[in-house]
Structures are given as C-alpha cells and as structure tokens.
Amino acid sequence: MDKLDLNKLPRHVGIIMDGNGRWATGKGLIRTSGHKAGATTLKNIFKTCVNLKIPVLTIYAFSTENWKRPKTEVTFLMSLFSSFLAAQIDELCENNVRLKFIGKIDELPAKLVKEFRRAEEITRNNTGIQFNVAVNYGGRDEIITAVKNIAQQVKDGSLSVEQIDDKIFEDNLYTQNLPPVDLMIRTSGDMRLSNFLLWQSAYAEFWFTKTNWPDFTPEEFIEALIDFQHRDRRFGGLDNK
C-alpha cells in the first residue's frame, strides 16, 4: 500500500457512520449493541484524526429522519450520547479539541441540550481539531434555515439582495468559517449522502465501503485518506497536464 502523505491530508472529513444495526443483526444481537460498538469505533477513528492533525471532522450521529426509528432505540441513542460525552470530555480537552453540535439541538431532551452546551463552552477556546457532531440534523433543513436567516436580514435592511453570495450563505450554515468537506466517507455499502452536509459537500471526494461502522478500523480510514490523495481534484476546471 502507498504511504500516507501528511502534507496532502483533507482539511475537512465527513463521516456517515452507517451499519450499526446491520452489524448487530448479523451477530444475532439487539440493535443497541451495534450502537455501543459503533461508539468505540468512533473513539478510535477520532483518535486517528487527532494524531494526523486533520483540521475538521464532522460525523452524522442522528438525522432528523431518525426519529422514525423505534422509541426504545431513540431513547437508547439519547442516553448513549450523554454517557459517551461524559466519558470523553476530559480527553477531548487534553487533546485541545473544539466540540460543536450541529442541527436542531434545542429540540432534543432538555438535559441533553444542557450537556451539549456545557461541553461546547468547556472546549470553546481549544485550538486543535474541530469536531462537529450532527444530531437532529438534516441538510435540506440547514439550507432552508440559512435562506430564512438571510431573508430576515434583507427584510431588516442589514443586507441587500445584491450582497448575497457564497460567503454570505455559508456564514448562515452550521459550519460557518469552516472549510468545505474534502472527503466524505460512508460505511455499510449504501452510496448516497442521505441529507448530510449537502452544500458543504459540493466538491467533496466520496469513499464508500461495505464495512459496517463497528468494524471500520483506523487502517481502513487511512486507506480512504490514501485513495483521496490520488484523486484529481479540478473543481470544475481542467487539469494542468
């Protein structure tokens, strides 16, 4: 295998952590066992990102559509978010990580919202990797919210229609001031975005694997990074060959 070039790493990696339920079902376990195993995988992949000094990592933890899942599973996931955060917050601070939760956070259980906001405040001044956790997140909803915010600014007179451009729009997204997604990874075989970071992934490179998320290893993550480094990224232009 080719070696990883530390000078050509993506600035922003997005991960759709799919396959927890399939992993559990395949082993004859209940679905929540898959989510527990997936949390361990997340910790390992996140450590790899920290070690490689990848500037931004954004994970898809819970979509606006995931509320359709069985109530017991949703309740378990909310509890898992809380326990995982409590267990990892000190280590996040030790690694100089800045944590941010993106999505309709205020619609989550009040106790969880308080825990999320406290973690964001604790890590607010850290200067290392930016770790975004998308919870109750939908890409279309994010875009609609941005449009409404911009429309309100125009209505208030603080912004003119002529001033609206990419920068103005991006300033009204959850990922304000962050680079666009360079590499999007999805596990478990499905090849779609599933309403995740639609604007931010306009020129992202995609890397799909049939591996279920609990079995996704740092070695496979590095394989994805190496593959990314071999992509010819022209952003709509022509190469220089």
Side-chain angles (χ1 to χ4, degrees):
M1 180 184 294
D2 294 339
K3 290 185 178 180
L4 184 66
D5 186 343
L6 298 180
N7 295 313
K8 295 182 179 180
L9 293 172
R11 297 169 300 165
H12 188 168
V13 175
I15 302 181
I16 301 173
M17 308 178 296
D18 200 13
N20 290 337
R22 294 174 213 175
W23 179 89
T25 301
K27 294 181 176 296
L29 303 171
I30 58 175
R31 288 178 58 85
T32 52
S33 298
H35 295 307
K36 283 184 179 180
T40 299
T41 296
L42 173 58
K43 183 176 179 179
N44 293 335
I45 299 303
F46 180 75
K47 282 184 176 180
T48 305
C49 288
V50 170
N51 291 336
L52 292 173
K53 295 182 171 60
I54 290 175
V56 185
L57 172 66
T58 303
I59 62 164
Y60 207 5
F62 191 87
S63 76
T64 49
E65 290 76 30
N66 285 156
W67 295 106
K68 300 174 185 177
R69 294 186 177 188
K71 185 177 179 180
T72 53
E73 183 174 348
V74 171
T75 300
F76 177 83
L77 284 168
M78 296 300 139
S79 176
L80 182 61
F81 294 151
S82 179
S83 60
F84 185 83
L85 181 59
Q88 301 303 319
I89 187 64
D90 288 343
E91 188 172 345
L92 291 174
C93 289
E94 289 171 8
N95 286 305
N96 198 27
V97 174
R98 186 181 181 194
L99 183 63
K100 183 178 181 182
F101 294 92
I102 64 174
K104 290 185 171 180
I105 303 303
D106 291 337
E107 294 181 359
L108 297 170
K111 180 176 180 292
L112 189 59
V113 173
K114 185 177 180 180
E115 292 171 354
F116 282 1
R117 298 310 185 198
R118 178 176 178 273
E120 288 178 330
E121 181 60 27
I122 290 173
T123 64
R124 182 169 61 89
N125 294 321
N126 291 344
T127 57
I129 183 174
Q130 172 77 45
F131 183 29
N132 301 317
V133 182
V135 183
N136 197 25
Y137 173 91
R140 288 179 175 179
D141 178 76
E142 179 182 23
I143 290 171
I144 289 171
T145 299
V147 170
K148 288 180 177 178
N149 290 341
I150 292 170
Q152 187 63 53
Q153 293 169 50
V154 172
K155 183 179 179 181
D156 294 342
S158 60
L159 182 72
S160 70
V161 171
E162 291 73 24
Q163 288 176 297
I164 300 172
D165 57 11
D166 284 9
K167 178 65 167 60
I168 292 294
F169 193 83
E170 288 165 1
D171 284 347
N172 285 275
L173 297 174
Y174 296 128
T175 52
Q176 180 186 15
N177 296 325
L178 296 180
V181 175
D182 289 318
L183 174 63
M184 178 66 75
I185 296 172
R186 180 167 187 155
T187 59
S188 198
D190 288 334
M191 293 186 286
R192 55 177 176 264
L193 269 176
S194 294
N195 202 20
F196 184 48
L197 299 179
L198 299 180
W199 175 277
Q200 298 88 336
S201 300
Y203 278 99
E205 300 296 327
F206 292 86
W207 197 85
F208 301 104
T209 176
K210 292 183 179 180
T211 303
N212 288 321
W213 177 248
D215 287 331
F216 189 71
T217 63
E219 289 75 20
E220 191 168 3
F221 178 64
I222 289 175
E223 181 184 341
L225 296 177
I226 292 173
D227 182 76
F228 166 82
Q229 293 180 346
H230 286 88
R231 304 286 181 93
D232 183 12
R233 308 191 75 206
R234 299 187 301 274
F235 300 96
L238 300 176
D239 58 30
N240 296 318
K241 295 179 181 178

